[in-house]
Structures are given as C-alpha cells and as structure tokens.
Amino acid sequence: MPELHQLTATQLIDGYRAYRFSPTEVASALVEHIDAWEPHINALYAYQPDAFIKAAEASTQRWAKGQPSGALDGVPITLKELIATKGMPVPVGTGLGEQSVAIEDAPPAARLAEDNALLLAKTTCPDFGMLSSGLSSFHGLTRNPWDLACNTGGSSAGAGAAAAAGLGPLHVGTDIGGSVRLPAAWCGVVGFKPTLGRVPIDPYYVGRCAGPMTRSIEDAALMMTALARTDRRDAMRLPPETIDWMDLELDVKGLRVGVMMEAGCGLPLDDEIRHHVEQAAKQLEAAGATLVPMAPVLTREMLDGLDHFWQARQWGELLKLSANEREQVLPAILAWADGGAHLSGVEAVHGFQQTMAMRRATEAVFDEIDAVISPTTPNITFPAEWPSPTNDPRQPFEHIAYTVPWNMGEQPAISLNAGFSRSASSVNMPIGVQLVGPRFGDHFVLKLARQLETRLALPTRWPMLPVINSAVK
C-alpha cells in the first residue's frame, strides 16, 4: 500500500471505514511529509499543524465509534488564500490595505467544514489573484514540485504545488481565466472549473468559479458532493440539483468531440503539447467518439478587450490603497494595471462587451458537438521567477487563450495530465489536456474526464523530494 500521505481521499475514507488506519495517523504522517516538502515549494499559508492534529483526533474518535459525520470526515483539505475562513484575514496575495479578519466562512469553506473535512492550511496566490504565476509580494515565491526552477502557474499556485507534492489529497482553487486549470496542467494534477454558479462562492463575479484540484478525477467528483451544495450568499448560484457525483460511468460511443488545437491568438502551441493532446483525442476516438476538427473560439479583439477591462478593474482596486502601499505591489501588476488609468469609460465598457462576445462564440460551439478537447496551456513551462510565460507585463494573458473563453461562456472545463515532456529544455514536466462541456454539463465533463483518465492509464508518478542546490534558493 502507498504511504498514508500518498493516498487519495476515496482511499482514505475506505481505510477509515475498514479501521486500517485513523485520521490521526494520516494527519501525523502528512505533517511529517509537509515538514520535508514545504521549505522547497512554499505552497502553504496559515499552516497550523497543532489545530490540524487536534481536529484529526476528534475525527478519529467519531470513526472509532462508527459515527463519522459528513462525507469527508477526517480527509485533509486546503483552501486557496482568497477563500475566506472565519477568524482569518484574506491578504489577497499582498497583505496590503485593511486586513480585518473574516467574520464567516466563504461558501466553499463552509461546505467542506459541514462535512468535517480537516482544514490543513490555506494555499498561496499572487497579488490580487491576477497573475498566472507563483510570484507574490506577500507570500513570496511558490515553486513547482516537479522542478524548483519552474513556475507553478496561477493564480491557484499553492493549490497546484500542494496537490502535486502530496500535501493532502483535496484542494480548492478559484478560476476567472484559467486559475485552476493552468496550475493544474503545469503541476500535473486535475483541475476542474465548474459551470458558473455550480459551486457557490463569495465574492462572486463574472467568470469567477471555485473548483477542486486533486490527484484524480474520482477525488474531484468527491469534492463536488460538498462544494456544489447551495448557498444564498452567491446571487449567481444555480438552482439546487440532485446529482450523484460519484457515478462516473459514461459510454463515449457516438459522442461528437471537437478538437480545438489552435487558440486563435496568444502564444504558439508547443509541438509536444500538440502531440499529447492529439494522442488523448485518439483515445476518445478509440472508445467510439467521433472527432470533429474545430476552429478557435477566441479572437485577438476578444482577448485584448478583456485585458483592457481587467486593467480598469485592477486600477480601481489599486486606488483603494495608499501611495506607499501601491509601491509594495508586484512591479508586474503595477506596470500592467497602470494602463487602466488611461482608458476611457467607453474603452472599458467595450472591453467588458468582449465577455459577451466570448459567451456567444462558446455557446454556439455546442450546436454541433457534445464536448471539446484542447490543450490547457500553449507552453510546457516557464521560469519560477517570471510573472507570466511572456515575462512581459504588457502582455500578461497570452497563455490563457485556451482557458478564458470558457469562464466567460460559463461552460464547465477540466484539465488532467496527458503525459510528460521529453524535450531537453523541460524534460519530465507534465502536460495538460482540457475537456469542455456545455453549460450545466458538469457531471458529464467529469464522466468524460474519467473515461479519458482510464484510457490514458498513465503510470502513477509524482514529484520526488528535491535535493536543493546553490542555483535555487
């Protein structure tokens, strides 16, 4: 049997039920594992091992009496720093401005607490959640466990690194343009962005979703049993729906799957990523699906317009800070958001209208097909210290062209590992493949992902504890 810290959430629950081990034993093993890993990757924020062990002991007592409470009783979890937890501040990657503590749990935190999941820690994110990078002025630098010189992506940087390094089986990230799926791809884990409103969140916003980041599709489905329960604090939530999330059976035969290899704009697609996505598509074809070549859904005008709108929005957030506080924000954020100060109201509104254009384009896709398969990222990796794959603050979104349309269109999308690179410059780094379904088809997307995961049948492989060298500090 794998070591306790390597077990999936479903394996942990099976083990608790069979009395093979207890939540206390799991928590103790995990703390030891974290002590070895965390100094290398810096994935956790507000890590409180004593409170974690105490909660595990209470769970152990419930299991010993045969009275577990909740579907996740005794299972370790983390929450992205941006997701409020009662009694703790939300530094938003900067620690600037008023840092009052949260008076209540945000919906994802509340749902997991109801199921007695064990909160291990929060996870790191970049400033304002507006970089796809592990770089933060408050948290410092979060590194990729596969190679400490490489970036995790973001903004759910710590969640991706923690999942890959085995710092617990279940992690929650947030995603407004790819912030769950991008680090999932670069860290070799599963990242699921549900339909907007399927997982209630607060604060809510156009395209903003919370979703699971795990080592398996089954664990992502297990998290959805808790996360998808309704919460009226999210005025954009979907109506409550009874879904058997753990039913992951699907007959792929007869499905029409659009193969979108080109993004329409942004960074060019790496040849190795193209190969792995094509091979993944062929696995679905072998299972009986019909592959349909598909044109991009995104245009340069759409991406640039969204960029302008987000600049204006971010500049508004920066104006809430004092001049001294603004100087402490990451230079890449300041250099990018400064453009928002020079946009007219008409230009900002035009930028926002591009979210509607994306919605129209993505929704039209499903008139002809049942699902989309595409790359998650255009590139395999980039340096840990960079704020984005371009390292250019004036072009920070060239890598999100495969992911952001589905946020604005509100469709469910998932990234899973499709294999590993062989190129000399980025050997043995994970490569993500993305599956997308129609709005409200969250369960279908998880089922389809489970079929692809099974057919890919990748050998179990996770990062090894690194030996630090003088080049990486």
Side-chain angles (χ1 to χ4, degrees), residues 81-272:
E81 180 249 276
L82 298 178
I83 298 171
T85 48
K86 185 177 180 180
M88 190 175 296
V90 183
V92 197
T94 69
L96 301 173
E98 184 181 353
Q99 288 292 298
S100 57
V101 300
I103 61 173
E104 60 183 355
D105 286 342
R111 300 294 83 76
L112 293 166
E114 288 168 358
D115 276 1
N116 275 302
L118 306 181
L119 180 59
L120 170 68
K122 309 294 282 291
T123 51
T124 61
C125 69
D127 294 28
F128 303 103
M130 285 306 297
L131 291 178
S132 191
S133 172
L135 191 60
S136 164
S137 61
F138 178 74
H139 299 294
L141 180 58
T142 299
R143 297 182 180 272
N144 194 316
W146 291 99
D147 185 336
L148 299 184
C150 293
N151 211 297
T152 56
S155 61
S156 304
L167 310 190
L170 303 181
H171 310 268
V172 183
T174 61
D175 189 318
I176 198 171
S179 289
V180 161
R181 289 156 291 158
L182 294 168
W186 281 313
C187 293
V189 300
V190 172
F192 180 43
K193 181 207 79 70
T195 300
L196 185 73
R198 176 70 71 194
V199 173
I201 193 168
D202 183 30
Y204 49 87
Y205 196 72
V206 175
R208 185 173 188 247
C209 302
M213 298 180 71
T214 64
R215 285 184 164 193
S216 71
I217 301 298
E218 188 176 40
D219 272 7
L222 179 63
M223 288 196 84
M224 289 299 292
T225 65
L227 294 175
R229 293 200 296 270
T230 195
D231 192 306
R232 285 192 174 274
R233 287 176 289 173
D234 185 349
M236 301 173 78
R237 72 194 181 282
L238 298 183
E241 185 176 355
T242 300
I243 297 173
D244 182 4
W245 293 101
M246 297 307 292
D247 174 12
L248 294 174
E249 295 298 318
L250 178 69
D251 186 357
V252 177
K253 187 176 181 180
L255 291 180
R256 290 174 58 82
V257 178
V259 182
M260 193 182 78
M261 297 305 300
E262 302 303 328
C265 56
L267 293 174
L269 180 63
D270 182 275
D271 287 340
E272 278 199 278

Side-chain angles (χ1 to χ4, degrees), residues 139 302 423:
H139 299 294
M302 292 176 186
S423 62

Side-chain angles (χ1 to χ4, degrees), residues 449-473:
R450 175 58 176 157
Q451 303 315 305
L452 180 56
E453 179 185 57
T454 301
R455 293 194 68 87
L456 287 171
L458 298 178
T460 301
R461 178 180 174 187
W462 295 109
M464 300 292 290
L465 188 65
V467 176
I468 204 73
N469 60 54
S470 59
V472 179
K473 297 181 180 180

Side-chain angles (χ1 to χ4, degrees), residues 390-466:
T390 63
N391 199 29
D392 181 352
R394 298 299 181 184
Q395 289 190 308
F397 302 129
E398 297 303 292
H399 58 289
I400 69 173
Y402 289 105
T403 54
V404 71
W406 315 111
N407 289 81
M408 301 305 122
E410 303 186 9
Q411 293 85 7
I414 193 166
S415 180
L416 64 154
N417 193 36
F420 294 86
S421 64
R422 295 182 179 179
S423 62
S425 60
S426 55
V427 65
N428 292 327
M429 294 301 288
I431 291 173
V433 58
Q434 180 177 232
L435 296 171
V436 187
R439 289 177 71 213
F440 318 122
D442 306 72
H443 196 197
F444 163 71
V445 168
L446 282 169
K447 288 181 175 184
L448 184 61
R450 175 58 176 157
Q451 303 315 305
L452 180 56
E453 179 185 57
T454 301
R455 293 194 68 87
L456 287 171
L458 298 178
T460 301
R461 178 180 174 187
W462 295 109
M464 300 292 290
L465 188 65

Side-chain angles (χ1 to χ4, degrees), residues 365-406:
V365 162
F366 296 97
D367 285 339
E368 304 294 333
I369 60 174
D370 301 298
V372 175
I373 187 170
S374 79
T376 309
T377 67
N379 59 307
I380 294 174
T381 189
F382 60 106
E385 297 80 7
W386 285 13
S388 75
T390 63
N391 199 29
D392 181 352
R394 298 299 181 184
Q395 289 190 308
F397 302 129
E398 297 303 292
H399 58 289
I400 69 173
Y402 289 105
T403 54
V404 71
W406 315 111

